[in-house]
Amino acid sequence: MAKIARVAVKDRDLLKTLRGFLKTLLSKGKMDAVLVPCRLPMKPVLMPTLLSDPAELDHADPLSPAFPLNAARIAARLTRRPGGGKIAAVMRPCEIRAFVELVKLKQGRPENLVMIGIDCLGACRNRDYARWSARAGDNAAEAYARAVLAGETPPEKFEPADACRICEFPTAEAADLSVALYGVEVEKHVLIEAVTDKGKAVLERLGLPAAEMPPARAKTLQQLVEQRRAERDRVFEETRSAVDNLEKLSRYLADCVNCYNCRVACPVCYCRECVFTTDVFDHEPAQYLKWAEKKGALKLPTDTLFYHLTRLTHMSTACVGCGQCSNACPNDIPLTPLFRLVARDTQAAFNYQAGRDITEKPPLAEFRDVEFEEVVGLGADETAEMEK
Amino acid sequence: MAINRGSALVVGAGIGGIRAALDLAEAGHHVFLVERTAHIGGILAQLDRQFPGNHCGMCRMLPMVDRDAASQFCLRKGLFHENIALLLNTEITDLEGEPGSFSATLLEMPTGVDPDRCVGCGLCAAACPVEVPDEFNQGLGRRKAIYLPIPHSVPNPYKIDPVACTLCGECTKVCPTGAIQLPLEKRHAFRILVVDDQKIIRDSLKKRLEEEGFSVASADSGETALAMLSESTCPLMLSDIKLPDMDGLALLKAARERRPDITVLLMTADTASETAEEAMKFGAEDYLVKPIDPEDMIAKVVAVYQRMTHSRKRQVEVGAVVLCGGTDYFRPQAGANTYAYGVNPHVVTGLELERMLSGTGPFQGRLVRPHDGKPVRRIVWFQCVGSRDIQLNADFCSTYCCMAAIKEAILVKEQLGHTVETTIFCMDLRVSGKSFQRYQEQAVNANGVRFEKARPHSVESDPETGDPIIRYVLLNGECRRERVDLVVLSLAQRPAVNTPQIAAATGIYLNPWGFAHTEPFLPTATSRPGVLVGGAFAGLKDISESVVHASAAALEASRIIHTGGKTAPAEDHEAPLRDVSREPPEVLVALCACGDDTMQRLNVDFLTRSLRRDPRVKRIITIGNICTAAGWKELTQAAEAGLPNRVLLGACHPCLYTRQVRELCRRIHLAPSLMEVVDIMTPALIGMDRPAAAGGGDAVAAQQLGALQAALAGLILQDGPMVSPLPITQRALVVGGGIAGMSAALGIADHGFAVDLIESGHQLGGNLNWLHDTLGDISTGGLLEKAIENTNQHPDITVHRNTTVKDAVGEVGRFCTTLQTPGAAEKTIEHGVVILATGGTEAGTDSYQYGRHPAVITQQELALRMSDKTFDPCSLNSVVMIQCVDSREEPRNYCSRVCCPTALKHALKLLKRHPGLNLYILYRDIMTTGFSESFYTAARQAGVVFLAYEPHRKPTVQPPASDKAPLTVRTMDPVLGRTLEIETDLIVLSTGIEPSLPPALAAAYGAATDADGFFAEADFKWRPVDALKEGVFACGLSLSPRSIPEAIATADAAAQRALRILSHARIKTAGATAFVRHSLCSRCLRCVDTCPFDARFLSETLDKIIVNPAACQGCGDCMTVCPNQAAVLAGHSGRKMLNVIDAVLMAGG
């Protein structure tokens, strides 16, 4: 049975083709609803929308470089308990990876959700998108997609978000169905690949013609990823030297006003109520005076650094690098490179990659008899060290 | 806790004694735990890591329910339990009375240092001019005459070695607390009478004794001596055993008639002299061997002097006595063939190596040659030094040493990696315990440890380098000579030095090897009713077995106390604690000035002024000595008057106050967690040295203030008690009606608790229904009959035959089991604990033509045939037994422990009935651990031919042309280096034991099975019969392969572990127990995944995480993984911890 199906592109209209595919999914795929970014009727901004009427799919726009929020949390909210229906959720790869993390954290359930991952064409920050779309007009999605897929500069001085510039995950590897655009002749067709058994079952119902993945795709993706990795490593180096001691880190975060927007925007920061709003940091008034007396001067609020360090501790194992923290920051603090840098190291320490595999247990949720020998045991290396 | 149903005496605070004491204490008995030395832990104080986990883990023996009754810290440091009175430096000297009401006489030997006053500052040791070898480090390091017996004890008072001490008094001058007592003048008053006909001996002894400060009188004959004794007293007499006018024995008797209290040391030239031994029976204290070693003589005299003049006697009334006197090691210098031990400094004992590898050892854990500091590149172990040696009257296997050597080799490899070659020389590799076989293979495969089947015969020294040169003969006869860097001797176990003394004091018999005598199926009973034996005191056990036997002994002790009527089933009703959660904190601070002397050094004004700035400090008082009765009274009055809701004590060692704090809290109805003791004395003592000009006083006060403020910061945010006693269903369920199941059921039922015994078959008895005798021709018939009769007739035992467990839910204290009986309605039983005793069976096989030829049978089939009268061994010419069939290799990669003894039993029986029989045993290693070794010797003497084979070259069986023709066994004999062909009439296969524990059954109770299907215990060594989940236990073959006595011991141990829980109507949960702030909880279940005790689960109906407070051990893992503190550990809230950290940082500047 075919794992890959093709959907013909008519009128060179990629957006219309994708809308058509989603309509098929709703009708033949036995889906009760589709979750997909749609243009709002009152304003040309995109927001995740849950659609049950195929006609409404004419507003769906999974190609525009808008990424107002990470929809993983919405998908989690829709699936947390059995909802009585099946949903196809069209998400960016980073949204899917975040959803996978949320599933591991028991915040969502994958049973009634079919994850449709579309090759990610990147996005810009919210406020940039507002400006850019004003310049580019309402129907710039198609032009944007064609430019990105052709490796050309998108129109109207488009500026991608920092996170997208350094993202090495343009495809949705953990999705059930993956919509392939890179390295595919999008003039003629898009290709739909069933990644999981669940995806395969859905794909079979759609009755689409089978196809093969063109060899060009792998090559195109490889080039893209290499380019992104190089950029990522450059940014990591830059960030590391900007934060490699406490003083520098304080400087890096100096503009923070403790608005906690980054926390709200973070898809994997899943606590119902953050520890920073509980009584744990509910200091006595006398305490502030004591501190001020001891130090001479006390910067307020006091726990800015502590807040970010706590979030790094809590979230770096689950960070998928979607960039919403930077997107949400009112003071333009480059949080994404910082989180991604720390996340790379913590995830490497546990041989873990957030969002990679839904069956993998997150670090700290499982116990291994032997790990971190250099920390917990007197290994041979340490003895050699002592002998020196 | 503190129910005090009855009381028991446990002698010896090694690992066995600790286990027995804790088991009894947890069941509500008061325990006197008596230890001869100055510390608990016995030999384990010196061992840092144990097989097969290669780490310690002693703390896992601490109570898991009602945890707050005991201090929860490293057991190698100390043991504090409400119901245990630990008496160190104390021996038992007499035991009178009957089971249920004994009166024991205890003798406490003071250490010369008052443990309550010693603060462990070490100034005394620095001042002491005397240096002697340090026995804690096996003589590899040196210590002073005033010293710490072990470096890590809490509290850790110094001790004086009276033999080494010269009484110079330097230590008393520097002791800041006046803790040292050196009774100089008393020695002058101690008169010793020396009786010998040789003047030179009299004079030399007199001179030496006088140098030590004693008064000495001497006599040249028995008559003179007696005349002198008539005139004046002499507490001690040293007498030659042969005097011109009378022999020493006559003098001894006559002297004791005149002075019944006199202590006599006899001097003899002949060590083997039976007279000397006999003299000790007549009351001589000891004997000295001529020519007299002055140091040995002084040591013995000082010991007598110390005991007679300094010791304190006390009587304790107890219901039962458990002897856990432990074992000692063979002393290599005493034997004939000692492999140059004591001659070549590079020959060390296993224990010396353990100390060399220890971080608290003489070399800080770095392994180098102790003598010259050279690196170790080649290290060899010699097994069986002092074991399995008929010449040394040691026809036994010491059981622990093969595994200990493997562990040591692994530790050495871990430290030195591939730069070191490790070789273990052994005769048989005895890896007969659970998981030992795989452990050994891991040593070979992962660590590269080499094993050589050879017994080295000698060690020479390289004349140039001094390196040991070992010589050994391989199985094939080839002689080898190798130069090595270090030789390690794996020393045999021997009875503990004071075993004869304990035996004499308690009136029990010893076995021919000098260990406590026990009956085959009563593994913990001594010859005296009411006196039990636990641990390795009855000989030759590793830690796991010792712990099992200690728990089993505790059960028997408890049974005696119970049948003696000394039980109080009612729970004590403690007055409820004050709920202070809604009161603003009001703290009473009490500062101890530690006597007038230090009072001047305590900057009371400064501390008071600073602490008062905190509005929550309501009152600050200063007390001269809080630790004295008067001081404590003052504190109590202040607390009762002000009724504070927090109390902060600035004193010395917090652990010294454990008991008192609880008492005070009880009086003012405050949770003990709301009272804290801070050590302000150590900063004072350390600061004392600093010159005042350098600001010593101020620095000290600042440090004291910092410590107090940190404690205060925590105390004011300390939650009130969260204790919620959980009701317990005081009823047990035992699954399996074999000997283990019945023993466990009887153990519990004899304490008056109802037991449901579930047996899947139609009759009780399990394997004993076919197994009629054991090694040594001991019939099991009586054992089985009695057990079945007792079980059937017991009013508290309900036997459910033909019944299986269908399903079970619940947790400790509240299990619900559904039983299924064909033809009957399902039944549901509520119970508080469960014991799995589902047994095991002989494993099947299709190797060696089994099932294809009638003359190939298993050992069990042979046993059945032999009990059938029609079977005639005389019809056989030749029998071949093959050991380790499908065993000790994957997938059944474990030793079944009983097959070698079974083969020997059958071989000896066959040869008894048909002495002309040709009997061959084909084996890999003969696993006759402990005293069963003697049967291996007997079998060789009886003519059994033992042929070793290697697992990669197994014997083969040729199928014969017809059923009538004899079978042919081919095996490669490593001694001859040739393949042998044996024609045989009968082949008997030792196929080992398989557990019959359905994984679903274990899982129904939240327990697990291991890779081989046996019950997975919480910890092989420290909790050998418990599941990780509290309230679930296993015994007998479901645990691991074992003999009948061993199975009974595990059953008794499991019953005792169950009784800890059943004997309370409610489980008191601990103060530090986790709870959930549901409004914050995201139900991510990380805490559930993380909890190592299965104490948490998600209730789907409530959509909440539920914590079982009885199972929760307060480890705080849930709290560390919970990102927003929805998981909280009572008493350790995030706010509190941050507040404390902040206070410490503020104090530290």
Side-chain angles (χ1 to χ4, degrees):
Chain A
M1 176 52 66
K3 263 186 74 184
I4 298 165
R6 69 182 274 275
V7 180
V9 172
K10 280 179 195 155
D11 311 330
R12 295 193 70 228
D13 191 338
L14 212 47
L15 195 55
K16 200 169 145 194
T17 309
L18 290 175
R19 285 170 180 165
F21 167 67
L22 295 175
K23 282 178 188 171
T24 317
L25 201 60
L26 202 52
S27 55
K28 290 190 187 166
K30 292 187 186 164
M31 291 291 128
D32 296 289
V34 174
L35 176 71
V36 64
C38 284
R39 295 181 191 173
L40 297 186
M42 65 295 269
K43 196 180 175 194
V45 288
L46 296 175
M47 283 294 160
T49 307
L50 189 65
L51 302 174
S52 58
D53 180 357
E56 292 288 341
L57 275 166
D58 288 336
H59 303 290
D61 179 2
L63 291 179
S64 278
F67 188 22
L69 48 85
N70 190 313
R73 279 175 96 160
I74 289 169
R77 197 177 300 162
L78 292 173
T79 60
R80 195 181 159 90
R81 291 182 190 294
K86 291 231 182 253
I87 300 172
V90 180
M91 293 190 281
R92 290 180 186 274
C94 57
E95 293 177 303
I96 290 176
R97 284 181 289 121
F99 181 72
V100 164
E101 284 307 295
L102 289 175
V103 168
K104 291 177 193 170
L105 293 163
K106 314 288 188 295
Q107 304 303 298
R109 296 187 196 197
E111 294 90 65
N112 292 319
L113 193 79
V114 176
M115 294 184 277
I116 318 286
I118 298 182
D119 278 2
C120 185
L121 305 179
C124 57
R125 300 184 46 180
N126 281 351
R127 73 171 83 119
D128 292 343
Y129 179 72
R131 289 190 209 116
W132 178 79
S133 66
R135 283 197 298 272
D138 282 358
N139 296 319
E142 189 76 24
Y144 173 79
R146 298 237 173 256
V148 171
L149 289 171
E152 293 159 8
T153 313
E156 304 298 333
K157 289 187 230 158
F158 176 79
E159 237 182 275
D162 286 348
C164 302
R165 243 193 275 257
I166 62 171
C167 172
E168 68 276 48
F169 302 104
T171 58
E173 268 136 41
D176 295 306
L177 289 175
S178 168
V179 179
L181 302 176
Y182 286 112
V184 172
E185 290 177 82
V186 288
E187 312 294 323
K188 296 183 194 159
H189 56 231
V190 294
L191 300 177
I192 318 287
E193 184 182 2
V195 185
T196 63
D197 287 345
K198 195 192 331 180
K200 207 164 148 186
V202 174
L203 195 59
E204 277 167 20
R205 288 201 287 272
L206 303 185
L208 296 169
E212 291 288 322
M213 205 52 92
R217 177 168 164 82
K219 209 175 149 200
T220 310
L221 284 173
Q222 194 193 340
Q223 269 173 1
L224 181 64
V225 169
E226 269 169 24
Q227 198 186 328
R228 298 263 182 86
R229 278 196 184 137
E231 178 65 4
R232 176 198 69 184
D233 293 343
R234 191 189 63 74
V235 170
F236 278 175
E237 270 324 296
E238 206 176 274
T239 311
R240 189 189 293 283
S241 63
V243 297
D244 60 6
N245 64 36
L246 217 50
E247 199 192 328
K248 285 190 196 172
L249 184 64
S250 302
R251 189 187 306 151
Y252 195 87
L253 300 166
D255 291 320
C256 177
V257 292
N258 287 44
C259 72
Y260 302 150
N261 284 357
C262 49
R263 179 194 78 203
V264 177
C266 177
V268 287
C269 213
Y270 67 96
C271 292
R272 287 185 180 182
E273 192 173 351
C274 176
V275 68
F276 279 88
T277 52
T278 65
D279 60 359
V280 173
F281 298 95
D282 195 2
H283 306 299
E284 293 287 315
Q287 187 79 16
Y288 291 104
L289 287 173
K290 241 199 247 176
W291 282 331
E293 194 181 319
K294 178 89 181 174
K295 295 182 163 192
L298 185 70
K299 182 246 152 193
L300 293 167
T302 52
D303 45 10
T304 309
L305 193 57
F306 197 0
Y307 161 73
H308 288 287
L309 287 172
T310 302
R311 255 185 42 79
L312 281 167
T313 313
H314 287 169
M315 296 338 303
S316 65
T317 55
C319 175
V320 295
C322 71
Q324 286 296 345
C325 44
S326 287
N327 193 13
C329 182
N331 292 331
D332 292 337
I333 301 170
L335 287 161
T336 302
L338 173 65
F339 266 74
R340 279 219 58 193
L341 172 67
V342 175
R344 181 191 58 177
D345 291 349
T346 35
Q347 292 179 19
F350 291 101
N351 186 22
Y352 183 78
Q353 198 188 87
R356 174 171 58 190
D357 181 354
I358 207 158
T359 60
E360 232 173 346
K361 280 221 165 199
L364 308 188
E366 67 175 346
F367 178 79
R368 294 180 195 152
D369 262 344
V370 180
E371 65 178 351
F372 296 112
E373 274 181 325
E374 70 282 11
V375 182
V376 299
L378 191 73
D381 299 344
E382 202 171 327
T383 315
E385 197 72 16
M386 275 165 63
E387 271 171 325
K388 278 180 207 164
Chain B
M1 202 35 84
I3 300 155
N4 293 346
R5 295 199 158 77
S7 61
L9 173 69
V10 176
V11 179
I15 198 69
I18 292 174
R19 177 69 278 158
L22 276 170
D23 274 340
L24 287 163
E26 284 186 67
H29 299 298
H30 182 74
V31 181
F32 296 97
L33 178 57
V34 167
E35 168 58 41
R36 187 171 56 92
T37 69
H39 62 88
I40 65 161
I43 194 71
L44 284 175
Q46 287 164 283
L47 304 182
D48 289 358
R49 307 211 248 167
Q50 288 92 30
F51 61 83
N54 294 353
H55 46 68
C56 187
M58 242 168 113
C59 52
R60 292 181 174 206
M61 299 210 307
L62 286 166
M64 298 195 62
V65 292
D66 200 355
R67 280 180 285 133
D68 289 349
S71 295
Q72 296 281 318
F73 63 73
C74 174
L75 253 181
R76 294 176 78 199
K77 288 179 183 284
L79 169 66
F80 299 88
H81 190 285
E82 278 188 5
N83 284 356
I84 299 177
L86 176 63
L87 309 172
L88 295 173
N89 306 299
T90 303
E91 293 181 29
I92 181 169
T93 56
D94 194 25
L95 182 70
E96 283 180 359
E98 299 295 316
S101 60
F102 285 114
S103 175
T105 309
L106 307 177
L107 203 63
E108 187 198 350
M109 299 293 292
T111 58
V113 180
D114 181 350
D116 291 342
R117 306 188 85 173
C118 175
V119 290
C121 65
L123 294 173
C124 52
C128 177
V130 183
E131 261 200 4
V132 289
D134 175 7
E135 48 289 78
F136 178 72
N137 282 322
Q138 293 292 296
L140 293 168
R142 297 183 75 74
R143 63 159 171 85
K144 296 297 185 65
I146 186 162
Y147 67 108
L148 286 177
I150 54 171
H152 47 251
S153 198
V154 175
N156 207 0
Y158 276 73
K159 179 187 177 178
I160 293 176
D161 173 355
V163 177
C165 176
T166 59
L167 303 172
C168 70
E170 288 301 318
C171 52
T172 47
K173 286 184 208 157
V174 296
C175 179
T177 58
I180 307 170
Q181 302 115 25
L182 277 182
L184 278 164
E185 66 293 347
K186 275 198 186 166
R187 277 200 184 183
H188 300 297
F190 192 79
R191 207 155 153 258
I192 302 170
L193 177 59
V194 176
V195 192
D196 201 299
D197 52 336
Q198 285 175 279
K199 184 166 189 301
I200 184 161
I201 292 179
R202 286 200 308 275
D203 289 351
S204 69
L205 289 181
K206 184 170 195 291
K207 184 162 172 283
R208 187 70 189 85
L209 286 167
E210 280 175 351
E211 277 171 18
E212 291 290 325
F214 296 105
S215 300
V216 182
S218 53
D220 58 0
S221 70
E223 283 304 330
T224 326
L226 289 174
M228 289 170 78
L229 285 177
S230 305
E231 277 167 28
S232 61
T233 63
C234 268
L236 174 64
M237 177 168 82
L238 265 61
S239 159
D240 193 10
I241 208 154
K242 278 182 191 145
L243 292 165
D245 54 342
M246 61 176 74
D247 77 10
L249 274 188
L251 176 59
L252 173 71
K253 281 179 206 159
R256 286 180 78 91
E257 273 166 24
R258 281 175 180 75
R259 302 278 172 195
D261 293 336
I262 196 167
T263 301
V264 179
L265 290 175
L266 288 174
M267 298 181 280
T268 172
D270 182 7
T271 44
S273 155
E274 282 173 13
T275 332
E277 299 282 348
E278 200 188 332
M280 289 178 67
K281 282 185 195 139
F282 279 98
E285 171 75 15
D286 203 345
Y287 56 88
L288 302 168
V289 181
K290 279 182 169 182
I292 286 173
D293 170 10
E295 295 319 307
D296 178 45
M297 185 266 303
I298 292 297
K300 281 178 172 156
V301 167
V302 170
V304 170
Y305 160 74
Q306 287 286 113
R307 203 189 59 232
M308 295 184 71
T309 56
H310 292 61
S311 64
R312 282 195 292 259
K313 237 182 207 177
R314 70 185 279 188
Q315 297 288 129
V316 294
E317 309 300 317
V318 292
V321 179
V322 181
L323 304 179
C324 294
T327 60
D328 217 320
Y329 289 107
F330 171 68
R331 288 174 204 275
Q333 56 269 56
N337 181 7
T338 58
Y339 297 116
Y341 181 82
V343 176
N344 186 319
H346 310 306
V347 180
V348 300
T349 68
L351 196 53
E352 284 168 29
L353 179 72
E354 299 269 3
R355 294 313 307 151
M356 285 153 69
L357 289 168
S358 169
T360 56
F363 313 114
Q364 290 77 47
R366 280 184 60 211
L367 180 61
V368 289
R369 292 216 300 206
H371 186 62
D372 53 16
K374 277 194 190 166
V376 175
R377 297 290 174 246
R378 306 184 81 189
I379 172 167
V380 292
W381 280 259
F382 291 179
Q383 297 306 102
C384 300
V385 179
S387 295
R388 303 182 66 188
D389 189 334
I390 296 169
Q391 289 169 0
L392 291 171
N393 185 31
D395 194 10
F396 54 72
C397 159
S398 291
T399 309
Y400 83 99
C401 358
C402 279
M403 283 297 286
I406 298 171
K407 175 202 71 180
E408 287 159 10
I410 291 176
L411 295 184
V412 167
K413 275 283 188 184
E414 275 181 6
Q415 182 176 129
L416 299 179
H418 296 300
T419 61
V420 66
E421 273 179 39
T422 52
T423 309
I424 296 175
F425 288 90
C426 56
M427 298 198 282
D428 293 283
L429 193 59
R430 292 195 167 160
V431 286
S432 58
K434 197 173 184 177
S435 84
F436 290 3
Q437 174 72 27
R438 287 195 178 95
Y439 183 80
Q440 184 261 336
E441 285 178 13
Q442 187 210 330
V444 174
N445 300 328
N447 302 93
V449 178
R450 191 182 114 199
F451 289 85
E452 201 69 77
K453 286 268 171 73
R455 190 163 190 164
H457 66 73
S458 58
V459 174
E460 300 162 0
S461 299
D462 186 314
E464 307 247 314
T465 59
D467 293 345
I469 295 169
I470 62 165
R471 300 209 313 183
Y472 60 96
V473 183
L474 291 175
L475 279 182
N476 62 11
E478 187 191 328
C479 288
R480 288 262 178 97
R481 200 165 172 272
E482 278 177 27
R483 195 200 59 79
V484 300
D485 297 315
L486 206 59
V487 176
V488 184
L489 306 182
S490 289
L491 296 186
Q493 291 192 1
R494 283 290 185 275
V497 222
N498 62 331
T499 303
Q501 185 264 325
I502 293 177
T506 56
I508 61 157
Y509 298 144
L510 301 180
N511 70 17
W513 296 282
F515 296 99
H517 169 83
T518 56
E519 291 297 327
F521 300 132
L522 296 168
T524 61
T526 66
S527 52
R528 180 168 179 184
V531 180
L532 292 315
V533 57
F537 196 58
L540 313 168
K541 288 177 190 68
D542 65 11
I543 293 171
S544 179
E545 291 293 320
S546 294
V547 167
V548 165
H549 277 75
S551 285
L555 174 83
E556 291 306 323
S558 177
R559 204 195 300 247
I560 286 158
I561 296 167
H562 182 83
T563 44
K566 293 267 177 72
T567 52
E571 290 280 318
D572 54 340
H573 290 288
E574 285 180 15
L577 297 172
R578 277 165 62 197
D579 178 9
V580 300
S581 56
R582 291 177 193 281
E583 299 171 14
E586 294 186 356
V587 188
L588 166 69
V589 181
L591 302 174
C592 178
C594 198
D596 296 339
D597 186 34
T598 24
M599 176 78 105
Q600 291 153 6
R601 289 201 294 268
L602 191 66
N603 198 335
V604 177
D605 278 353
F606 167 73
L607 291 177
T608 310
R609 211 171 47 238
S610 312
L611 289 169
R612 244 189 233 301
R613 292 191 60 191
D614 193 311
R616 290 155 295 201
V617 173
K618 286 297 164 201
R619 194 177 166 204
I620 303 176
I621 55 171
T622 312
I623 295 174
N625 281 93
I626 291 190
C627 57
T628 61
W632 196 256
K633 198 176 163 196
E634 212 180 318
L635 172 69
T636 310
Q637 281 166 354
E640 282 177 333
L643 278 188
N645 54 28
R646 310 280 194 284
V647 180
L648 177 63
L649 286 192
C652 45
H653 295 307
C655 55
L656 291 177
Y657 293 93
T658 316
R659 217 176 289 263
Q660 282 167 303
V661 162
R662 284 196 183 141
E663 190 48 47
L664 177 61
C665 287
R666 217 165 268 154
R667 283 182 81 145
I668 57 172
H669 307 301
L670 208 58
S673 59
L674 296 171
M675 186 161 168
E676 189 149 340
V677 184
V678 173
D679 177 11
I680 57 167
M681 217 39 68
T682 303
L685 289 165
I686 294 168
M688 194 178 55
D689 267 2
R690 292 185 212 156
D698 287 344
V700 167
Q703 212 179 338
Q704 290 170 324
L705 180 66
L708 288 165
Q709 277 177 332
L712 190 63
L715 209 49
I716 53 179
L717 289 182
Q718 176 69 40
D719 324 322
M722 289 286 297
V723 180
S724 52
L726 288 179
I728 293 287
T729 309
Q730 286 174 294
R731 196 179 173 98
L733 184 86
V734 178
V735 187
I739 191 66
M742 285 190 286
S743 302
L746 286 165
I748 293 170
D750 282 351
H751 285 77
F753 300 109
V755 181
D756 289 288
L757 180 60
I758 316 301
E759 168 57 46
S760 60
H762 64 279
Q763 64 171 352
L764 297 171
N767 284 317
L768 260 52
N769 285 315
W770 64 266
L771 180 62
H772 299 306
D773 52 16
T774 69
L775 194 55
D777 267 344
I778 303 157
S779 164
T780 60
L783 171 72
L784 180 65
E785 262 171 43
K786 210 174 130 199
I788 290 179
E789 191 188 327
N790 289 347
T791 304
N792 283 333
Q793 291 182 354
H794 205 294
D796 290 321
I797 299 181
T798 313
V799 181
H800 306 259
R801 287 181 186 75
N802 299 314
T803 301
T804 50
V805 171
K806 190 189 171 215
D807 200 8
V809 287
E811 52 224 7
V812 58
R814 299 174 287 184
F815 286 106
C816 241
T817 297
T818 309
L819 299 178
Q820 210 169 21
T821 314
E826 278 181 6
K827 212 182 293 175
T828 299
I829 291 178
E830 281 183 36
H831 52 106
V833 295
V834 61
I835 296 179
L836 303 177
T838 51
T841 53
E842 190 184 55
T845 182
D846 52 11
S847 302
Y848 302 113
Q849 302 295 324
Y850 180 82
R852 290 187 288 280
H853 195 282
V856 183
I857 62 173
T858 65
Q859 290 286 2
Q860 181 178 345
E861 285 161 355
L862 179 62
L864 290 170
R865 272 192 208 190
M866 283 167 71
S867 60
D868 179 353
K869 294 210 166 51
T870 59
F871 173 71
D872 179 17
C874 296
S875 65
L876 301 170
N877 269 324
S878 156
V879 173
V880 173
M881 295 182 179
I882 305 177
Q883 301 302 103
C884 292
V885 177
D886 306 338
S887 292
R888 296 180 67 202
E889 58 185 348
E890 296 300 341
R892 281 203 298 116
N893 199 3
Y894 57 88
C895 166
S896 287
R897 204 175 170 95
V898 299
C899 344
C900 282
T902 304
L904 294 179
K905 174 182 80 175
H906 289 161
L908 286 166
K909 276 172 89 174
L910 286 171
L911 284 172
K912 198 172 165 191
R913 285 168 70 179
H914 178 21
L917 181 69
N918 294 308
L919 214 155
Y920 305 88
I921 295 183
L922 276 43
Y923 70 102
R924 284 173 61 186
D925 297 276
I926 292 292
M927 303 280 188
T928 43
T929 52
F931 297 122
S932 62
E933 171 72 11
S934 61
F935 294 96
Y936 181 28
T937 309
R940 294 199 307 272
Q941 282 164 350
V944 177
V945 178
F946 287 87
L947 297 166
Y949 73 86
E950 289 169 341
H952 61 276
R953 273 195 300 212
K954 285 189 195 130
T956 54
V957 176
Q958 297 304 117
S962 74
D963 273 5
K964 295 274 164 66
L967 290 149
T968 307
V969 179
R970 284 214 183 105
T971 186
M972 172 71 194
D973 180 22
V975 178
L976 297 174
R978 292 167 62 178
T979 302
L980 302 182
E981 277 192 11
I982 307 165
E983 282 199 348
T984 180
D985 312 313
L986 189 65
I987 296 177
V988 189
L989 305 181
S990 292
T991 58
I993 291 176
E994 270 179 346
S996 25
L997 175 62
L1001 176 68
Y1005 293 106
T1009 48
D1010 69 12
D1012 300 309
F1014 293 102
F1015 180 83
E1017 65 279 74
D1019 186 283
F1020 172 74
K1021 276 201 146 63
W1022 315 111
R1023 293 174 61 203
V1025 299
D1026 304 26
L1028 195 54
K1029 182 166 168 178
E1030 184 57 286
V1032 184
F1033 311 93
C1035 57
L1037 293 183
S1038 58
L1039 205 53
S1040 68
R1042 51 188 70 236
S1043 68
I1044 297 169
E1046 287 169 342
I1048 293 172
T1050 58
D1052 288 354
Q1056 178 60 30
R1057 301 290 295 158
L1059 281 167
R1060 292 172 311 136
I1061 296 161
L1062 289 183
S1063 47
H1064 306 275
R1066 282 178 300 280
I1067 285 186
K1068 232 197 276 174
T1069 57
T1073 305
F1075 64 95
V1076 181
R1077 299 205 283 181
H1078 299 293
S1079 62
L1080 297 183
C1081 177
S1082 302
R1083 330 285 194 261
C1084 68
L1085 308 192
R1086 281 199 160 192
C1087 56
V1088 177
D1089 287 339
T1090 304
C1091 178
F1093 302 101
D1094 274 347
R1096 308 169 76 94
F1097 65 93
L1098 173 74
S1099 162
E1100 296 276 357
T1101 42
L1102 297 173
D1103 191 27
K1104 275 180 181 173
I1105 302 287
I1106 306 295
V1107 181
N1108 174 9
C1112 171
Q1113 295 299 306
C1115 69
D1117 275 7
C1118 50
M1119 211 177 162
T1120 57
V1121 293
C1122 181
N1124 63 339
Q1125 307 228 347
V1128 189
L1129 190 59
H1132 297 78
S1133 70
R1135 270 186 91 195
K1136 179 190 157 185
M1137 302 325 286
L1138 288 171
N1139 215 30
V1140 172
I1141 291 169
D1142 195 66
V1144 171
L1145 292 176
M1146 294 281 276

